[in-house]
Every structure is written in C-alpha cells, then in structure tokens.
Amino acid sequence: MSKPFWEKPLTALSPKEWEALCDGCGKCCLNKLEDEDTGQVVTTRVACRLLDGETCQCSQYDIRHQFVPECIVLTPKTIEDHIYWLPRTCAYKLRAQGAPLSDWHPLISGSAQTVHDAGVSVQGWTVPENEIHEDEWEDHIIDPE
C-alpha cells in the first residue's frame, strides 16, 4: 500500500496536494514584526485585510496578489526561506522537518472543523489590519503557538 500523499517528500507533491496540505489555521495571515537588530520575529493578532476571521480563509485567495502584492507564496522550493516564522503547528513546517501531521489536521481527521475545535486556528480572535494603525501593532503581539 502506498503512503498518503502528505507523507511524501514536499518536493514530490503536486500543486493540488501542496495546497491540500494547508491546515486552514490562518496563522500565516497574521502580521509579523521583525526586530531589525536581532532578526527576532513576533506575531500579532492583526490579520491581513483579506483574512476572514471566522473561516480562517483568504477571501480572495486566487487573486490575493492584486490586493496584497507582498503576500508570500509558500512552495516546496521556498519553504526553507520562510520556515523560521511559521508556527510550530504549521503542516508545511512539520512536513519540512520530517514530522507527522497533527491528529486535528483535516487530512487526518477528515474534517476542516477540527483545526478550530482543537483551538489551533485564529478563528474569532483577530483584528483586521485596516482597523489598527501600524504603529499600534506592537500592542497586539501574541504567542501564536
């Protein structure tokens, strides 16, 4: 019997499989602040203006770069460049590090709701970036884990 696709090396995944690996937590859509001197990255609860805070999905995913040109596109080739700021629960980070997916991951549980039920998503506790001045983002620093 062959392995489930999510157990394959990331470079062996098709684009559709890569997209399906996302757990839908929404944490990558939270704005981060990076200390210029130390390189330390902290996460805020200030969400990208395109993030739906209830579904934890991008409201314009397919055309998001028209609205947010700086939105990062994770791929098997770029994951290592961005792994440092991804939350420890991120499926892309877990698989890049050779770890299995969590039990609450929709590919394991069979339900997209389990990421919310497990309290791993940003559902219900973000603030849209267009409601908070960038100078105040430091007031919204969180531990996204």
Side-chain angles (χ1 to χ4, degrees):
M1 191 161 92
S2 64
K3 292 182 182 181
F5 77 83
W6 56 86
E7 292 181 3
K8 295 182 201 174
L10 294 178
T11 55
L13 298 180
S14 70
K16 187 175 180 178
E17 291 170 335
W18 175 264
E19 289 292 322
L21 191 56
C22 176
D23 56 38
C25 73
K27 291 177 182 175
C28 61
C29 298
L30 298 177
N31 285 289
K32 283 84 173 158
L33 301 173
E34 184 171 359
D35 186 297
E36 292 179 16
D37 297 325
T38 66
Q40 179 185 9
V41 176
V42 294
T43 303
T44 71
R45 69 185 194 105
V46 181
C48 171
R49 62 189 166 275
L50 298 180
L51 182 72
D52 180 315
E54 288 306 309
T55 66
C56 301
Q57 300 295 308
C58 179
S59 63
Q60 299 292 330
Y61 186 75
D62 291 336
I63 58 171
R64 66 192 183 278
H65 289 107
Q66 291 178 21
F67 303 99
V68 185
E70 67 276 14
C71 182
I72 292 173
V73 177
L74 288 179
T75 68
K77 291 180 182 177
T78 65
I79 187 74
E80 290 301 323
D81 295 336
H82 301 291
I83 205 165
Y84 72 98
W85 60 262
L86 292 170
R88 65 178 168 77
T89 57
C90 176
Y92 295 111
K93 184 173 190 168
L94 289 171
R95 293 305 303 131
Q97 296 173 332
L101 298 181
S102 302
D103 291 343
W104 48 259
H105 192 288
L107 290 171
I108 304 298
S109 70
S111 169
Q113 183 60 37
T114 54
V115 67
H116 308 301
D117 293 345
V120 181
S121 77
V122 300
Q123 187 178 56
W125 56 265
T126 62
V127 292
E129 66 187 2
N130 55 355
E131 292 181 13
I132 305 291
H133 191 276
E134 195 169 341
D135 292 342
E136 298 174 8
W137 286 9
E138 285 185 356
D139 297 338
H140 297 275
I141 292 173
I142 57 159
D143 178 3
E145 306 304 322

